[in-house]
């Protein structure tokens, strides 16, 4: 099969869905440069911008944000990198729609508050431009379907920019999984265990730390993210953990999520934070708020291949950061986070029933992508993984190829938010996953990070 | 309240259930010695016997086993310890019923295969003798109720001999929980993650290792335990993990288990073990067996106080032993097993967002029981915890007091087996716990290990 064999764009969706995604392009015309627009120039958007500007195969033709100070910061970055200023779209929440009418945009990176992800990705696809959308991609099942249906109607790829899939240890473990080191995979654990209280609140002037304000009185993520703790009792941020495990279990590619059950603890963390904060206290207006999001959300997912996955959301309590990964198969298992990395493989580990440190394994099974690009990745953000997620997006835009983390991944991973919410509302009631691939998962083949290309 | 105030035995059950269990005895007549009978003189029974024989406040008046060689071993232990031989009951599965007619037995330790636990404990209570029953106490909901109803009818205590509740690190953490170090408790994790493949099979001659036989062709636990992997898809052994977390969360004492959902992975481990074993292979008859028990069982429990607990059963795969404990509250959390012990308490741990090793905490919060008895406990089996569980049983028998781990604990913890089985059969369907206390959990108060007594 020719790597970039020509497929007419009008039939792309139908064919792409039945062929190994990522190995098929739309056209022989490879772009030398990807012309990128950025919707959302906040902290995350500018982090992506920094990585984009380190490359020589991009142009930033347009940026969009409702906040002038963020536009100024982005423009300064662009100019400092030796590029000419981007055209600016601002002034209203819907200014991005004008940006999408431009002819000189091949791909759009969407790094906005969560409630904008799906609609912007949908509009981007409809405009015929590659959409790179930050996590989560969707917050309701309807939005998950919007992504899928728009992709299938337009044939334009959307990539979920799940950076943790590209973490060096994750990719080494993926490599080990694919080489059969763990045997047949049985079980995974993952999640987002990250004390975000200083992210959810600030004083409206300074990020990260001072103040107990959120919403319109706050800046940055506190301006919109705390609302999800206020209004929703769900795993509101499932993909950092689930994405990596999904790639290891070939979800949507010979396997799929079947069902889940979710449980929430009581909600105490944010109230206690406000009450105990120097800027807060019992008499602070926010001390009266009842937060809906349980402090710890536990979700168990069953797959069609009869694996199970535990996904944790734990962001409103004091705790060290930990994604809490485990991957376990018939021959052994690995457990790792920033602080502990241990592995046991029967017949390989030097001593029976005794853990090994993972360091030598991580080195030995270092993924080809990391071997090739570690120099470029180093310092790119979040331990280097941010380089790879942008690299992959730029490469598919240039080559007009399918996304390695595609619309079905975006939908299935993000669906954990609404499904966990319904399960929790039913006290742990079982929920079934929609099959976003419409049955095609049975013959879709794995594409993520197969080689050292992107 | 007088510690040993007299309460008529006939009303004991009704009153005991409404009063702080463990602080009330039946009588002022404290026995100087506990006259103990042992039903089951296998590996576990003889381990208890060894701890009993180190004491000066016991007599072993009778032993029961269907296996003459185990009786011989037990008698030799008894004689070597300077006691006279015990009377023997053997010859049939029901020989223990004759033992229970003896007048010179105050308490009975039941260390038999799981299917005998409940019926022997019930018969023991009916005979007016304290029952110390090994874990799990029951394998069906009907058996859980049998224990509860018999206790309430007879007023005779049954204690579940859950040794892990007495592990030194567990008790130090319990101490920390009670002192509020973790704040309000939110979440626990626990389980039984222990590669038992060499326990589930042997060659009928030697324990632990050779052979892939089970049932009648095997010895020791392989003779009966493997049947549970063959026939039941459930967390068949939940109490080692759940008991300690239950004591920390005051289950049945101001709190209770409300519901659970369980998921099973596919079953691969035992088949692979048989096929790859030198004594097995593809052509071995046991290679054809379809094992019902999923290799990894994940259960999430919700409590009435809105905590959640993840319980894992993982015994049929290669892996290092780990109970995988976590206890987490509004102020911090501890995660510990044999290999990793880490803790983080906001404002106490020296560095924000960074784990501490637990060693100094475990020393600082060493439980009063361990401080008092560590010399005696050392070497008693399973790191010393076996001393304490026997110590507690003997003390309640001597003092005629209620059990610190009582019939409601035995029922609620053991109920996870049938409830998880039903949930798994329904693909993760939510199951509700019976309230074995018949509503009395709302005013029952914690009694486990409150002081340095037992």
């Amino acid at each position: 099969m020719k790597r970039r064999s020509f497929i007419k764009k009008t039939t792309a969706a139908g064919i792409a869905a039945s062929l190994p995604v990522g190995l098929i392009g739309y056209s022989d015309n490879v772009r030398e440069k990807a012309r990128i627009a950025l919707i959302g120039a906040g902290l995350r958007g500018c982090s992506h911008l920094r990585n984009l500007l380190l490359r020589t195969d991009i142009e930033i033709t347009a940026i969009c944000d409702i906040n002038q100070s963020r536009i100024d910061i982005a423009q300064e970055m662009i100019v400092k990198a030796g590029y000419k200023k981007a055209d600016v779209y601002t002034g209203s929440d819907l200014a991005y729609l004008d940006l999408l009418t431009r002819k000189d945009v091949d791909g759009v990176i969407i790094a906005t508050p969560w409630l904008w992800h799906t609609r912007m990705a949908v509009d981007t696809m409809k405009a015929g431009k590659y959409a790179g959308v930050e996590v989560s991609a969707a917050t309701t099942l309807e939005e998950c379907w919007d992504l899928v249906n728009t992709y299938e109607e337009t044939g334009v790829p959307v990539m979920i920019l799940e950076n943790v899939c590209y973490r060096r240890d994750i990719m080494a473990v993926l490599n080990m999984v694919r080489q059969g080191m763990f045997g047949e995979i049985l079980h995974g654990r993952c999640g987002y265990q990250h004390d975000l209280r200083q992210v959810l609140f600030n004083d409206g002037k300074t990020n990260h730390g001072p103040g107990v304000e959120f919403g319109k009185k706050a800046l940055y993520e506190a301006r919109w993210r705390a609302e999800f703790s206020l209004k929703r009792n769900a795993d509101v941020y499932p993909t950092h953990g689930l994405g990596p495990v999904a790639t290891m279990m070939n979800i949507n590619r010979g396997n799929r999520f079947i069902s889940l059950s979710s449980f929430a603890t009581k909600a105490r963390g944010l109230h206690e934070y406000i009450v105990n904060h120097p800027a807060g206290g019992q008499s602070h207006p926010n001390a009266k708020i009842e937060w809906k999001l349980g402090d710890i959300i536990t979700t168990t997912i069953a797959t069609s291949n009869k694996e199970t996955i535990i996904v944790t959301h734990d962001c409103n309590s004091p705790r060290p950061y930990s994604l809490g990964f485990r991957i376990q198969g018939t021959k052994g298992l690995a457990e790792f986070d920033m602080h502990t990395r241990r592995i046991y493989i029967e017949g390989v580990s030097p001593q029976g029933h005794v853990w090994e440190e993972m360091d030598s394994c991580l080195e030995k099974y270092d993924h080809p992508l990391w071997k090739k690009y570690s120099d470029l990745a180093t310092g790119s953000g979040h331990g280097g993984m941010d380089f790879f997620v942008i690299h992959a997006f730029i490469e598919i835009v240039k080559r007009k190829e399918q996304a390695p983390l595609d619309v079905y991944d975006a939908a299935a991973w993000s669906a954990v938010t609404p499904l966990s919410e319904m399960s929790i509302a039913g006290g742990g009631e079982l929920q079934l996953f929609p099959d976003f691939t419409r049955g095609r998962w049975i013959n879709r083949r794995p594409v993520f990070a197969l080689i050292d290309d992107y």
Side-chain angles (χ1 to χ4, degrees), chain A residues 147 233 235 381:
Chain A
L147 291 171
N233 198 4
D235 186 334

Side-chain angles (χ1 to χ4, degrees), chain A residues 125-157:
Chain A
M125 284 187 276
K126 284 183 176 169
K129 300 168 197 327
Y130 275 65
V133 64
E134 260 300 335
V135 298
S136 284
T139 67
T140 69
L141 286 182
E142 294 76 11
E143 284 190 317
C144 293
W145 279 116
D146 287 347
L147 291 171
V148 168
N149 293 338
T150 306
Y151 166 72
E152 296 194 348
E153 282 158 28
T154 63
V156 180

Side-chain angles (χ1 to χ4, degrees), chain A residues 48-175:
Chain A
H48 284 317
L49 181 60
R50 186 162 56 89
N51 285 317
L52 288 163
L53 293 170
L54 294 172
R55 304 178 67 96
T56 56
D57 57 355
I58 62 103
E59 285 174 29
I60 308 293
T61 51
I63 58 176
C64 175
D65 203 292
I66 52 168
N67 187 335
Q68 185 60 43
S69 70
R70 297 306 305 176
I71 289 170
D72 296 343
I73 289 168
Q75 292 285 40
E76 193 184 329
M77 290 171 68
I78 292 168
V79 171
K80 269 198 183 160
Y83 289 91
K84 73 177 177 68
K85 276 189 176 178
D87 288 345
V88 169
Y89 296 80
T90 187
S92 98
D93 284 346
L94 300 180
Y96 77 94
L97 291 172
D98 294 330
L99 179 151
L100 293 176
T101 64
R102 293 176 69 103
K103 293 242 161 69
D104 61 350
V105 173
D106 305 313
V108 178
I109 288 174
I110 298 161
T112 49
W114 296 342
L115 288 178
W116 287 97
H117 286 181
T118 298
R119 62 188 67 195
M120 287 173 169
V122 163
D123 290 332
T124 299
M125 284 187 276
K126 284 183 176 169
K129 300 168 197 327
Y130 275 65
V133 64
E134 260 300 335
V135 298
S136 284
T139 67
T140 69
L141 286 182
E142 294 76 11
E143 284 190 317
C144 293
W145 279 116
D146 287 347
L147 291 171
V148 168
N149 293 338
T150 306
Y151 166 72
E152 296 194 348
E153 282 158 28
T154 63
V156 180
V158 55
M159 175 172 170
I160 180 166
L161 300 177
E162 182 40 74
N163 59 350
V164 182
C165 289
Y166 292 95
R167 209 169 83 165
R168 193 166 202 161
D169 53 4
I170 291 286
M171 294 200 87
V173 171
L174 173 67
N175 207 7

Side-chain angles (χ1 to χ4, degrees), chain A residues 353-411:
Chain A
H353 300 266
V354 177
W355 295 104
E356 272 184 275
E357 292 298 313
M358 277 183 77
D359 293 349
S360 63
C361 283
L362 293 176
E363 208 169 303
K364 185 172 172 189
Y365 293 94
D366 198 24
H367 193 279
L369 263 173
W370 268 94
K371 279 188 187 157
K372 185 169 170 183
Y373 288 113
S374 64
D375 287 351
L376 286 172
T378 303
S380 76
H382 291 110
M385 59 191 178
D386 285 353
F387 164 82
F388 290 98
V389 74
I390 286 299
H391 174 68
F393 183 67
I394 296 302
E395 292 302 322
I396 63 165
V397 170
K398 279 163 44 188
R399 305 178 196 189
K400 304 177 185 172
E401 290 182 356
Q402 293 292 315
L405 305 172
D406 71 4
V407 69
Y408 305 107
D409 299 320

Side-chain angles (χ1 to χ4, degrees), chain A residues 106-329:
Chain A
D106 305 313
V108 178
I109 288 174
I110 298 161
T112 49
W114 296 342
L115 288 178
W116 287 97
H117 286 181
T118 298
R119 62 188 67 195
M120 287 173 169
V122 163
D123 290 332
T124 299
M125 284 187 276
K126 284 183 176 169
K129 300 168 197 327
Y130 275 65
V133 64
E134 260 300 335
V135 298
S136 284
T139 67
T140 69
L141 286 182
E142 294 76 11
E143 284 190 317
C144 293
W145 279 116
D146 287 347
L147 291 171
V148 168
N149 293 338
T150 306
Y151 166 72
E152 296 194 348
E153 282 158 28
T154 63
V156 180
V158 55
M159 175 172 170
I160 180 166
L161 300 177
E162 182 40 74
N163 59 350
V164 182
C165 289
Y166 292 95
R167 209 169 83 165
R168 193 166 202 161
D169 53 4
I170 291 286
M171 294 200 87
V173 171
L174 173 67
N175 207 7
M176 295 177 69
V177 167
R178 286 177 170 168
Q179 293 187 36
M181 292 289 294
F182 299 103
E184 186 176 350
I185 297 301
L186 298 167
H187 182 62
R189 297 188 180 194
C190 60
Y192 194 61
Q193 304 180 130
H194 192 182
D195 176 1
L196 290 181
R197 294 171 302 160
Q198 292 191 318
V199 171
L200 295 174
F201 299 102
N202 57 48
D203 61 0
K205 294 171 216 146
T206 323
N207 195 26
H208 211 80
V212 293
E213 304 298 340
F214 67 99
K216 289 190 176 163
K217 291 185 179 176
L219 286 178
Y220 297 102
E221 280 176 85
R223 204 167 169 84
W224 55 268
R225 190 168 182 157
E227 302 277 356
F228 285 80
S229 287
L230 184 63
K231 298 280 177 62
R232 299 190 69 171
N233 198 4
D235 186 334
V236 296
Y237 202 54
T239 71
H240 282 329
L242 201 49
V245 174
T247 62
M248 293 176 197
M249 291 187 180
N250 298 322
I251 295 301
N252 299 323
R253 299 178 167 85
N255 195 9
R256 78 173 191 97
F257 298 146
I258 291 288
S259 58
L260 65 68
S261 169
S262 293
F263 292 84
T265 68
K266 52 197 151 191
R268 292 285 187 272
L270 300 191
H271 174 76
E272 292 205 4
Y273 184 74
I274 291 162
V275 165
N276 296 323
H277 197 286
Q282 286 286 4
S283 59
H284 190 284
N286 288 350
K288 291 186 193 70
I289 291 173
E290 278 190 37
W291 300 89
K292 197 155 185 180
L293 180 63
D295 288 342
I296 300 164
I297 307 294
T298 302
T299 301
T300 309
I301 297 176
T303 71
S304 63
N305 283 352
K306 298 203 173 174
E307 300 106 351
T308 55
I309 309 166
I310 302 176
V311 192
T312 304
H313 185 272
D314 171 7
C315 298
N316 296 355
S317 301
R319 61 159 301 132
Y321 174 71
S322 167
L323 298 183
F325 276 107
R326 182 200 291 190
I327 193 82
Q328 183 165 8

